[in-house]
Amino acid sequence: MKNFTTSFLLPLLIAFSFTACSSDSSNEESAAQNSTGDYWPTTVDNNWIFTQDGEETTMKIIGIDEMDGAKYYKFNQMAGATTSLDAQTSVWIKKNKGDYFIKMGEINIDFGSFTGKITGYEFIILKDYLEVNQTWSGKYTHTTSYNVPDFPTVVTTVTYTGKILEKGSALAIKGTTFKDVIKFSFTQSASISGQANSETITNYWIAKNVGVIKMETNGSVSELKSYLIK
């Protein structure tokens, strides 16, 4: 388990750090279509270095785990455009044709005076074969527990929608021009025990045979500085 920096994929964990998760992820594998190319190469030791506000974060594939008959490629951490969370977890990516899944392991939170636990979940972050303006969606449910007497369990339902904004474009970052770029948005809307929704929108730029090259959430931007693909 690695120290977990809240990733560009999970800004909701900051907003709802008092919930724990159990997976109810939408499984759309049966609808997967053939990939239009490899937009997130997963060979072990592939790595990407991102910069945000002058700080660097390295994201690296460190191993392969088999779960439910499928191969999941494990990251050391997820680079992010949001704040850190004092927690530990494991993060994987799985690819099924043109569908890209992110899997979060159980999250153990330690605030010193008390601890908590967030069970894992999984969702589809990208469908690379969709055309501009096409979308995909899913849902998972959070429930969080803490070692605090009489602290209530809070149930959070998160619905997500991805939308392809651009395809086949080029983007220059730090002097390097990346081609065959897909830009897409990923919207997460969370409802806690029937209370009002809170929405977070993240934009991604992902290049064929490279991976994520840029991400933006609420004005915070992470950009690729360098990478190694094996």
Side-chain angles (χ1 to χ4, degrees):
M1 303 279 270
K2 301 289 182 180
N3 288 333
F4 176 45
T5 300
T6 307
S7 77
F8 57 93
L9 302 172
L10 299 167
L12 290 177
L13 285 179
I14 293 299
F16 303 113
S17 58
F18 288 97
T19 65
C21 312
S22 90
S23 176
D24 186 24
S25 174
S26 172
N27 187 340
E28 303 177 27
E29 289 187 83
S30 60
Q33 298 180 24
N34 288 332
S35 174
T36 57
D38 192 352
Y39 283 87
W40 207 325
T42 51
T43 302
V44 172
D45 290 332
N46 284 357
N47 64 80
W48 303 261
I49 299 176
F50 292 90
T51 59
Q52 179 189 331
D53 298 329
E55 296 186 4
E56 295 185 358
T57 302
T58 299
M59 184 169 66
K60 182 178 182 179
I61 303 288
I62 59 172
I64 305 172
D65 295 313
E66 187 164 322
M67 292 176 269
D68 300 322
K71 288 184 178 180
Y72 286 78
Y73 299 84
K74 189 175 183 179
F75 293 103
N76 65 326
Q77 63 178 338
M78 294 298 284
T82 53
T83 347
S84 295
L85 181 66
D86 200 1
Q88 292 182 329
T89 191
S90 295
V91 190
W92 298 264
I93 184 171
K94 178 185 76 171
K95 294 184 286 189
N96 177 47
K97 297 182 178 179
D99 287 356
Y100 299 69
F101 295 75
I102 294 296
K103 181 178 179 65
M104 300 297 303
E106 183 177 90
I107 302 170
N108 296 298
I109 302 172
D110 186 355
F111 288 104
S113 58
F114 64 92
T115 59
K117 185 175 292 186
I118 305 178
T119 57
Y121 57 92
E122 183 172 330
F123 58 91
I124 298 175
I125 188 65
L126 173 65
K127 289 176 174 278
D128 71 23
Y129 48 85
L130 295 184
E131 298 299 329
V132 173
N133 292 325
Q134 287 190 302
T135 63
W136 68 97
S137 60
K139 180 173 69 174
Y140 53 88
T141 299
H142 293 188
T143 11
T144 297
S145 58
Y146 282 87
N147 67 337
V148 178
D150 301 320
F151 194 93
T153 296
V154 182
V155 177
T156 303
T157 299
V158 178
T159 58
Y160 62 86
T161 300
K163 183 177 182 179
I164 303 296
L165 302 178
E166 298 176 7
K167 290 196 79 172
S169 58
L171 182 66
I173 298 178
K174 300 184 184 302
T176 299
T177 298
F178 297 93
K179 298 180 179 180
D180 293 317
V181 174
I182 297 176
K183 179 184 178 181
F184 66 97
S185 63
F186 195 76
T187 301
Q188 296 179 94
S189 181
S191 175
I192 303 178
S193 299
Q195 297 179 18
N197 286 356
S198 175
E199 185 174 273
T200 302
I201 302 175
T202 303
N203 289 319
Y204 301 89
W205 291 257
I206 188 166
K208 185 183 289 187
N209 300 323
V210 177
V212 175
I213 58 173
K214 182 179 178 180
M215 44 212 156
E216 183 272 329
T217 303
N218 297 330
S220 295
V221 178
S222 292
E223 292 184 322
L224 187 65
K225 177 182 178 182
S226 62
Y227 65 97
L228 174 64
I229 303 298
K230 297 204 169 184

